[in-house]
Amino acid sequence: MTADAPEERPGLDGLGRALMSSGALSSDWAPSYAAVPRSTVLPDLMWPFDMETGRSVAVCRADDPARWQEFADSDVPVVTQWDDGKHAGTEPGHVPTSSASMPSVVFRMLRDLDLRPGHKVLEIGTATAWNAVLMAHRTGPGCVTTVEVDRAVATAAMATVERLGIPLHVVHGDGFQGYPDGAPYDRIIATCGLRSIPPAWLEQCRPGGVIVAPWGTDFSHGDAVARLVVAPDGTSAAGNFTGPVEFMKLRSQRLSPVVHEEYVPGSVAEGDESSTTVTEAEFVGDHFGPERFALGLRVPRCRQVVAARGDGARPVWFYGLGDRSWACCLFRDGKAARVWQSGSRRLWDEAEAAFRWWEDQGRPASSRFGLTVTARGERVWLDDPADSWAL
């Protein structure tokens, strides 16, 4: 048995051993995991995602401590705030706005960060403070600064850090601006989804430093973790994506929900009709499949909405974010899909062309794509940074 075998790691619970077996938890992060269980930072009332029912459920430690502990020690995301704090009561709210991520996601991103003792690190999105406390355990005292935009969440995190006696700095502020008072940083990590990397982060991370952030397009909620290394001259950062994720978005980059009637006030029959040989199975794919991420890179300023299946059919909608162009592809069992589109952009034509391109490239996963960030904007690429395109 090797030294890294989960059975030989003292202090690891069942989840910790499972995370090590899956490769999410590396041996160098195991001491931090054992020292700071997620249960030490979770609130008494929380809404973990129940894998059996496929939805968030309310769990109160005072009412059912055993069930609360079971979810705290499970590899599931846990919502800790709804509707930007306007929610009240025990039932889930409308939109989750703060959470504790799945432990497997937390440790895969920390592995990407390549954090060493003594590194100065800036975190964007404090939430429960678990990620920040884990990093502080690894770096040593006074090395971690974490920024939280929500005052109530930041206040709760400050109390947690004080209760645990962890020497790290919690700041209430807009993480889009970074935190220049502590710059330069060796590492910057975001625990919220980005639609573009803020220039301030590039300015505040030292040359050779690493930025790790969930990043995606307006096309869907399907993001991927970008691991970017800052260039020696400090004017750019580049790197590959390491895997699919889905995060709540940085509040300053959240989009308002699409109002369907503003695009299609009448019937789809008012659009131009055509058909396609693309099938639902190959186009829609799985929830964390690479299709939506790849298409978003090729169809800019567009929102895709995959509707629920009903009566053997599934409509997939496309809405232009710069005008009122729209498209609808209706997939139906055993029949060719029908398409309607309207506006200055032929959004289905763009989406189908992007899908065919993705197929021609060998149906690449997100890890074959990469991102380059400069003060002038962002470019993405497949395999070769020299062959990139602007978003």
Side-chain angles (χ1 to χ4, degrees):
M1 187 177 292
T2 67
D4 287 342
E7 290 79 2
E8 296 186 4
R9 285 285 170 187
L12 286 185
D13 57 11
L15 175 60
R17 292 191 294 271
L19 293 173
M20 287 201 73
S21 296
S22 70
L25 177 62
S26 56
S27 59
D28 55 337
W29 276 102
S32 298
Y33 173 90
V36 191
R38 186 166 70 154
S39 59
T40 61
V41 303
L42 290 175
D44 290 342
L45 174 62
M46 61 184 189
W47 296 266
F49 187 80
D50 188 337
M51 294 294 186
E52 292 184 2
T53 62
R55 59 187 181 88
S56 296
V57 295
V59 180
C60 180
R61 176 154 43 184
D63 295 338
D64 194 341
R67 190 168 187 242
W68 186 97
Q69 190 67 49
E70 180 183 358
F71 275 116
D73 296 337
S74 298
D75 191 25
V76 298
V78 174
V79 175
T80 54
Q81 185 198 67
W82 297 91
D83 305 324
D84 292 337
K86 300 180 179 66
H87 166 264
T90 59
E91 290 302 311
H94 296 290
V95 180
T97 49
S98 191
S99 70
S101 299
M102 296 174 65
S104 57
V105 172
V106 168
F107 284 102
R108 289 185 190 280
M109 290 180 63
L110 289 175
R111 181 187 60 197
D112 290 342
L113 196 63
D114 189 25
L115 190 62
R116 310 293 177 85
H119 272 167
K120 288 181 63 178
V121 56
L122 173 65
E123 178 191 47
I124 310 301
T126 310
T128 64
W130 190 43
N131 203 65
V133 171
L134 288 168
M135 293 191 295
H137 183 271
R138 183 171 177 81
T139 61
C143 292
V144 176
T145 298
T146 178
V147 181
E148 172 58 52
V149 70
D150 188 287
R151 182 177 296 276
V153 175
T155 299
M158 292 174 189
T160 295
V161 168
E162 183 177 359
R163 171 172 55 83
L164 296 176
I166 304 296
L168 64 87
H169 188 200
V170 180
V171 177
H172 170 238
D174 183 0
F176 185 84
Q177 305 299 331
Y179 188 68
D181 290 357
Y185 301 98
D186 299 291
R187 301 289 188 266
I188 295 178
I189 184 170
T191 60
C192 50
L194 278 294
R195 290 298 170 254
S196 63
I197 303 295
W201 299 6
L202 185 59
E203 296 167 3
Q204 294 171 28
C205 194
R206 68 165 176 80
V210 176
I211 300 173
V212 171
W215 182 97
T217 65
D218 299 318
F219 193 77
S220 73
H221 293 298
D223 299 343
V225 175
R227 185 186 190 277
L228 311 176
V229 178
V230 180
D233 63 4
T235 63
S236 65
N240 280 87
F241 296 99
T242 64
V245 289
E246 185 173 322
F247 272 76
M248 299 171 192
K249 303 304 175 279
L250 185 75
R251 293 194 183 182
S252 59
Q253 294 187 358
R254 291 192 305 200
L255 287 177
S256 299
V258 168
V259 179
H260 177 80
E261 291 74 16
E262 294 180 357
Y263 287 83
V264 191
S267 167
V268 293
E270 296 174 8
D272 300 324
E273 185 174 355
S274 60
S275 63
T276 179
T277 59
V278 177
T279 67
E280 176 188 347
E282 60 187 355
F283 186 84
V284 175
D286 297 327
H287 184 74
F288 285 103
E291 299 89 346
R292 300 180 200 184
F293 180 78
L295 265 62
L297 301 178
R298 305 291 291 189
V299 187
R301 299 295 295 157
C302 174
R303 173 68 62 84
Q304 175 187 256
V305 176
V306 179
R309 294 192 102 254
D311 297 325
R314 184 197 297 275
V316 178
W317 291 90
F318 305 85
Y319 304 94
L321 298 180
D323 60 14
R324 286 291 183 257
S325 297
W326 61 267
C328 176
C329 181
L330 181 65
F331 295 105
R332 187 174 292 278
D333 295 344
K335 297 182 179 179
R338 300 172 68 188
V339 174
W340 298 267
Q341 48 191 339
S342 177
S344 60
R345 292 179 66 181
R346 306 280 90 176
L347 290 176
W348 170 255
D349 294 348
E350 291 184 36
E352 184 172 13
F355 176 77
R356 298 300 186 192
W357 173 86
W358 177 70
E359 281 196 317
D360 291 344
Q361 304 304 315
R363 305 172 71 88
S366 58
S367 57
R368 281 183 56 192
F369 291 96
L371 177 69
T372 299
V373 179
T374 69
R376 298 184 302 276
E378 298 176 331
R379 301 184 68 86
V380 291
W381 34 272
L382 175 66
D383 298 329
D384 183 3
D387 186 18
S388 64
W389 64 91
L391 292 171

